[in-house]
C-alpha cells in the first residue's frame, strides 16, 4: 500500500496510474456498499492533497467490508485506510490465516495501530484473548472502537515494547502507521513507557504460551529480539515485519542465540524495503492447509 515513487519516465507514470486505477476499481467487491468504496476513493484525495481544506478531513467514519460481520472505524485523511486495505484487501497476513492453528488462547499484537489486525485475530480466533500493544493514545482509542464485542477478551496496553524497560519518546514523522521508538533527549519532551514483553504479558495476566505473536514496531524489533532469551520459548507462532537495517539474517541469528528453534514457512519483501517473515516453533504440531512446510 506504499504509494510508488514519482521518479520514473512518463510511460512508467502512465502505467503506474493505470495500475492504481485498476486496483481501485477491483476493490469495489471488498466493500459491502458502494458508498464505502467511494469513501475509500475520496480518502486518496485527502492524502494526496493534505493542505486543501476538503470536507470530512479528520472525521471518523464507519466502513463495512464484505468479509466481516461488523463495521470498522477509520479516520479520514489519516493512514488508517492504507492499513485496512493492506490487511483485508491485500491480505498481507494470509500465510497465517491459511494455517490450521489449533487451541489459540493468547495472541499478542505488538504495534496494533488502529486495531485492524486486532479485528483480524478476533475473527480468526474468536475464543482467544488478544493483547493489543500500541504506544499512541489516539491509535489505541481506535483499537478499542475496532475491537469486536462478541469475541474473546481484549487487553489494551499503551506502551512501546522493547528489550529493556525505560521511558522513551516517539518519532511521529512517518504518520500514524509508522510511529517509531526514540530515546528521550530532553526531559520536557513527550515521554511514555517502554515495557519488556514479560512485563506486558504479566500486566494482562497471561502466564501460559503465546500462540501467535505479531510484531510491527518500526525498527524496535532489533532491540526486542536481541533480548528475547527469557520469553521466546513461550511463543508458538511469529509474524514479524523487519525494518532496515535489521535483516532476516540478523533476526534469525538473534533467535538462534536465544536458543529458539523456529521454521520459516513464508517470507516476502514489501514495497518500502521491509521484510515480512512468518515462523512456527519447530516443535509445534500445527496442521497446515494448502501450504508447503
Amino acid at each position: 500500500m506504499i504509494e510508488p515513487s514519482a521518479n520514473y519516465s512518463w510511460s512508467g507514470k502512465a502505467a503506474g496510474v493505470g495500475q492504481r486505477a485498476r486496483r481501485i476499481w477491483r476493490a469495489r467487491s471488498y466493500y459491502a456498499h458502494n458508498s464505502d468504496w467511494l469513501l475509500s476513493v475520496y480518502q486518496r484525495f485527502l492524502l494526496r492533497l493534505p493542505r486543501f481544506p476538503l470536507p470530512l478531513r479528520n472525521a471518523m467514519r464507519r466502513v463495512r467490508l464484505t468479509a466481516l460481520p461488523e463495521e470498522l472505524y477509520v479516520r479520514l485523511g489519516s493512514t488508517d485506510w492504507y492499513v485496512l486495505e493492506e490487511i483485508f484487501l491485500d491480505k498481507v497476513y494470509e500465510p497465517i490465516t491459511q494455517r490450521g492453528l489449533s487451541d489459540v488462547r493468547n495472541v499478542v499484537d505488538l504495534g496494533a495501530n488502529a486495531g485492524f489486525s486486532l479485528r483480524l485475530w478476533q475473527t480468526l480466533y474468536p475464543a482467544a484473548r488478544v493483547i493489543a500493544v500500541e504506544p499512541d493514545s489516539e491509535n489505541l482509542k481506535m483499537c478499542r472502537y475496532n475491537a469486536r464485542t462478541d469475541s474473546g477478551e481484549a487487553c489494551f496496553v499503551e506502551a512501546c515494547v522493547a528489550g529493556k524497560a525505560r521511558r522513551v519518546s516517539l518519532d511521529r514523522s512517518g504518520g500514524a502507521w509508522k510511529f517509531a521508538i526514540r530515546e528521550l533527549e530532553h526531559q520536557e519532551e513527550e515521554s511514555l513507557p517502554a515495557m519488556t514483553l514479560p512485563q506486558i504479558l504479566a500486566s494482562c495476566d497471561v502466564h501460559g504460551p503465546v500462540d501467535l505473536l505479531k510484531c510491527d514496531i518500526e525498527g524496535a524489533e532489533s532491540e526486542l529480539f536481541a533480548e528475547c532469551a527469557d520469553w521466546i520459548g513461550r511463543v508458538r507462532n511469529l509474524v514479524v515485519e523487519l525494518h532496515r537495517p535489521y535483516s532476516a539474517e540478523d533476526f534469525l541469528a538473534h533467535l538462534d542465540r536465544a536458543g529458539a528453534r523456529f521454521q520459516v514457512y513464508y517470507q516476502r519483501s514489501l514495497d518500502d524495503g521491509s521484510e515480512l517473515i512468518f515462523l512456527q516453533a519447530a516443535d509445534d504440531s500445527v496442521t497446515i492447509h494448502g501450504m508447503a512446510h
Side-chain angles (χ1 to χ4, degrees):
M1 289 306 300
I2 304 296
E3 293 297 324
S5 167
N7 232 349
Y8 43 74
S9 66
W10 284 109
S11 60
K13 288 181 180 180
V17 169
Q19 185 179 29
R20 289 197 296 273
R22 287 190 294 272
R23 170 190 165 76
I24 292 169
W25 183 252
R26 286 196 302 267
R28 288 180 311 140
S29 62
Y30 289 92
Y31 292 98
H33 307 292
N34 281 335
S35 58
D36 293 327
W37 171 70
L38 289 171
L39 201 59
S40 78
V41 177
Y42 180 61
Q43 159 74 7
R44 287 171 165 80
F45 284 100
L46 291 173
L47 288 176
R48 287 286 187 177
L49 304 169
R51 298 184 182 279
F52 280 66
L54 296 173
L56 297 182
R57 189 181 297 281
N58 300 321
M60 185 187 297
R61 285 293 183 269
R62 291 179 291 183
V63 175
R64 175 66 62 83
L65 300 178
T66 55
L68 296 175
E70 294 181 340
E71 296 169 317
L72 291 167
Y73 290 85
V74 296
R75 295 165 292 188
L76 295 179
S78 76
T79 52
D80 286 358
W81 221 300
Y82 279 167
V83 182
L84 180 152
E85 293 196 344
E86 184 177 64
I87 292 173
F88 293 107
L89 277 66
D90 298 337
K91 299 181 180 179
V92 69
Y93 295 123
E94 188 171 34
I96 195 72
T97 69
Q98 295 207 2
R99 297 174 72 80
L101 299 190
S102 60
D103 195 24
V104 177
R105 291 164 293 175
N106 295 306
V107 178
V108 178
D109 192 323
L110 303 178
N113 196 263
F116 305 122
S117 53
L118 164 67
R119 175 68 71 86
L120 176 65
W121 312 134
Q122 290 182 317
T123 302
L124 289 173
Y125 316 115
R129 172 189 291 183
V130 182
I131 294 87
V133 182
E134 170 58 42
D136 180 72
S137 60
E138 292 302 312
N139 278 353
L140 198 64
K141 185 185 299 183
M142 293 297 295
C143 280
R144 295 180 184 276
Y145 279 120
N146 282 317
R148 284 181 64 165
T149 58
D150 61 345
S151 187
E153 178 187 353
C155 179
F156 302 93
V157 180
E158 186 177 337
C160 296
V161 63
K164 60 180 181 179
R166 61 194 187 279
R167 302 292 297 184
V168 296
S169 186
L170 281 183
D171 179 356
R172 300 176 179 274
S173 61
W177 67 339
K178 289 189 178 295
F179 292 151
I181 192 171
R182 181 168 61 82
E183 298 298 334
L184 279 172
E185 296 178 356
H186 308 287
Q187 286 190 341
E188 63 272 13
E189 67 182 328
E190 174 195 29
S191 163
L192 66 156
M195 301 172 65
T196 66
L197 190 63
Q199 287 176 324
I200 289 168
L201 295 177
S203 73
C204 293
D205 200 29
V206 175
H207 302 289
V210 174
D211 302 295
L212 173 61
L213 174 66
K214 168 256 178 180
C215 178
D216 182 4
I217 52 177
E218 302 304 322
E221 66 275 5
S222 59
E223 176 189 327
L224 178 67
F225 289 101
E227 303 290 342
C228 68
D230 60 343
W231 55 262
I232 193 65
R234 297 173 63 178
V235 179
R236 293 177 58 204
N237 295 274
L238 272 170
V239 180
V240 183
E241 188 165 329
L242 305 171
H243 301 83
R244 294 176 178 173
Y246 192 57
S247 67
E249 290 75 17
D250 298 328
F251 169 60
L252 295 174
H254 280 151
L255 292 183
D256 186 65
R257 190 179 70 187
R261 298 293 178 264
F262 282 86
Q263 298 171 340
V264 177
Y265 62 87
Y266 188 82
Q267 187 173 347
R268 61 172 286 198
S269 297
L270 302 179
D271 292 343
D272 62 355
S274 59
E275 292 182 88
L276 194 60
I277 187 167
F278 295 73
L279 308 93
Q280 175 188 311
D283 60 351
D284 195 45
S285 55
V286 178
T287 303
I288 304 172
H289 298 295
M291 296 191 71
H293 213 328

